[in-house]
Amino acid sequence: MKMKRISLSSSKRAPATNNNNNNYMMVEESSISIDWEVRPGGMLVQKRQEKIVDSSSSSSCSSPMIKVKVSHGCNHHEVNVPSQSTFGHLKGVLASETGLEPKEQRLIFRGKEKEDEECLHMEGVKDMSKVILLEDPASTERKLQEMQRRQEDIIIPKAIESVSNVRTQVDKLHQKVVDLERTVCGGIKVEDKEFVVLTELLMVQLLGLDSIAADGEAKVQRRIEVQRIQSYVDKIDKIKARNSAPLGNDANNNAVLVTNKWEPFESGIGSFTSPTPFKSSTTIITQNWELFE
């Protein structure tokens, strides 16, 4: 079978392809390109135009629209879809409504989860039917992990910066502790309120460290600063005890020596050794009683 295209702009004769036939076919004037085809019998006819239609789109266009109620947690949606569409098509419509990708959705109808290729009308979904939308647990877990990573990217640098600020303040207070120790060791009396104020300032920094939510490297740095502050507080207590000594550094030179040596006496009293026991004598017991008037 041969085909030819003939573009006609005026009346002309289109000859038949059969060599045994000398007849001509009259074609009216036209400016439209026409495709011709030769039938098995030798007849020249116009080729039919075949229209290709997508089966999925045709079914959607031909089927009536229905309204489906979708429950997603506390939210409720109403969407219009073709009655003969699939649950996968319904997920695509819900993606714009809920922000969930189709692969993150699970559609429950009449207590059963539906697959993407299942058709609505075949499963009994009608106008105003109710469908439950659930988020895939794996997708929820991935979102939580991603959220945690984002929070760590934000929190950890802030935590390290906060610990660094506390470290700066602790360094300044440590210098005051050193100056205070030097003063007391020099024999100069210091008022007790100096120790109290310095201790309170260190405790304020300790409370500041406790309020920092830290993890990883920031947590390690926070622990180091906590140990530093505790050591400085202990050092202040020792300096305060030394400052409270009545004679300062000279007290050690004039200290009274106390010993545990006791002066022995002949009777044994006042010594740790027992006295010499008396020689025992024999005692005679009789039953002779003395009578009194």
Side-chain angles (χ1 to χ4, degrees), residues 158-169 171 209 212 221 225:
K158 289 185 177 179
I160 293 177
E161 182 180 0
S162 299
V163 173
S164 178
N165 294 335
V166 173
R167 184 185 301 111
T168 303
Q169 299 299 323
D171 291 339
L209 289 173
I212 297 176
Q221 295 183 12
E225 294 306 314

Side-chain angles (χ1 to χ4, degrees), residues 34-269:
I34 301 175
D35 292 335
W36 299 88
E37 65 179 355
V38 181
R39 294 295 176 86
M43 183 179 296
L44 181 64
V45 296
Q46 183 179 352
K47 182 182 178 182
R48 296 180 179 178
Q49 298 291 335
E50 297 180 358
K51 186 176 181 181
I52 301 176
V53 181
D54 188 3
S55 59
S56 61
S57 61
S58 62
S59 61
S60 299
C61 296
S62 60
S63 61
M65 301 294 291
I66 59 174
K67 181 179 290 185
V68 179
K69 294 183 177 181
V70 181
S71 176
H72 179 211
C74 299
N75 301 320
H76 300 277
H77 307 277
E78 291 184 358
V79 294
N80 295 319
V81 293
S83 61
Q84 297 182 4
S85 60
T86 61
F87 282 92
H89 177 74
L90 178 58
K91 288 182 179 181
V93 176
L94 290 172
S96 59
E97 296 287 338
T98 61
L100 296 176
E101 295 295 330
K103 61 182 179 180
E104 299 175 350
Q105 302 178 24
R106 297 175 59 191
L107 295 179
I108 310 297
F109 181 66
R110 293 179 178 176
K112 295 182 179 180
E113 182 177 358
K114 299 301 178 182
E115 301 296 335
D116 293 349
E117 62 274 8
E118 294 183 275
C119 297
L120 299 178
H121 68 286
M122 296 295 294
E123 299 300 323
V125 178
K126 300 178 181 179
D127 189 41
M128 303 304 292
S129 294
K130 295 182 180 180
V131 178
I132 299 176
L133 171 62
L134 300 177
E135 188 173 358
D136 186 35
S139 174
T140 304
E141 185 176 356
R142 286 194 300 269
K143 287 184 177 180
L144 290 176
Q145 292 177 354
E146 184 179 357
M147 186 180 300
Q148 290 177 355
R149 286 194 297 267
R150 290 179 179 178
Q151 290 179 350
E152 289 177 357
D153 295 339
I154 297 174
I155 292 176
I156 291 179
K158 289 185 177 179
I160 293 177
E161 182 180 0
S162 299
V163 173
S164 178
N165 294 335
V166 173
R167 184 185 301 111
T168 303
Q169 299 299 323
V170 173
D171 291 339
K172 295 178 181 179
L173 295 175
H174 174 247
Q175 186 60 41
K176 293 183 178 181
V177 174
V178 173
D179 295 340
L180 188 63
E181 183 180 18
R182 186 181 298 111
T183 301
V184 173
C185 291
I188 302 175
K189 280 285 186 177
V190 179
E191 296 183 2
D192 290 343
K193 67 177 183 180
E194 296 292 335
F195 300 98
V196 175
V197 171
L198 190 54
T199 302
E200 290 180 352
L201 292 175
L202 287 171
M203 296 306 296
V204 168
Q205 299 303 321
L206 184 61
L207 293 175
L209 289 173
D210 291 339
S211 63
I212 297 176
D215 198 3
E217 180 63 24
K219 188 175 182 179
V220 175
Q221 295 183 12
R222 185 184 65 179
R223 186 185 304 112
I224 294 174
E225 294 306 314
V226 169
Q227 293 175 353
R228 284 184 62 198
I229 293 175
Q230 291 175 347
S231 65
Y232 295 158
V233 171
D234 294 340
K235 192 172 185 179
I236 291 174
D237 292 339
K238 294 178 181 179
I239 298 173
K240 183 179 179 181
R242 186 170 186 176
N243 183 71
S244 301
L247 298 178
N249 294 333
D250 297 336
N252 295 330
N253 298 330
N254 300 327
V256 178
L257 181 62
V258 179
T259 64
N260 291 328
K261 294 181 179 181
W262 297 86
E263 181 182 358
F265 294 94
E266 293 180 357
S267 61
I269 301 175

